[in-house]
Amino acid sequence: LAARGDVIRFDAAPLAAPVAIVGKAHLRLVVRASRPHFDIFARLCDVHPGGCSYNVCDAMFRRFSPTCRATSHTDVNGLASAAASAEAAGTEVVVECELEFAATAKTFAAGHRIRLLVSGG
């Protein structure tokens, strides 16, 4: 996954000491999309000193446009028609997304790296 051209990869420096994480991590992103509906996928990985990467936990965010949500309802405050106009005009949308990772308990050993992968579609 990390080698794909449509995936953004963030690698921490090698850890000087072990780092433990417990619970549900959160990731907040501001994204620019060419469509009002899209998916964001994120993965947290443990990268061993030899370069092998192991999945720790994943998160997914699905954004539906106001037009998708308003199809069975009346247009609320013009959101549906505004989104439809933006989509028809090819205007990009900027959206703040918050992803919640699956619960985990993991200790990253000294010398390992923490990696975050982010992709969209």
Side-chain angles (χ1 to χ4, degrees), residues 1 25 41-45 55-60 99-103:
L1 185 63
F41 175 78
R43 174 172 284 161
L44 194 62
C45 303
N55 300 342
V56 175
C57 55
D58 300 324
M60 172 79 177
L99 291 79
E100 180 179 84
F101 286 83

Side-chain angles (χ1 to χ4, degrees), residues 32-102:
R32 183 179 319 175
S34 59
R35 305 300 252 163
H37 47 287
F38 54 86
D39 296 332
I40 301 289
F41 175 78
R43 174 172 284 161
L44 194 62
C45 303
D46 179 359
V47 183
H48 290 221
C52 289
S53 176
Y54 297 91
N55 300 342
V56 175
C57 55
D58 300 324
M60 172 79 177
F61 175 87
R62 174 159 283 167
R63 203 264 183 174
F64 293 102
S65 70
T67 54
C68 292
R69 286 192 300 258
T71 54
S72 63
H73 305 291
T74 57
D75 186 4
V76 180
N77 296 326
L79 287 176
S81 56
S85 297
E87 186 173 352
T91 305
E92 294 179 333
V93 294
V94 177
V95 178
E96 184 174 319
C97 309
E98 183 161 344
L99 291 79
E100 180 179 84
F101 286 83

Side-chain angles (χ1 to χ4, degrees), residues 15-31:
L15 300 171
V19 172
I21 61 170
V22 177
K24 293 182 178 183
H26 290 259
L27 175 64
R28 182 171 292 143
L29 300 170
V30 176
V31 299

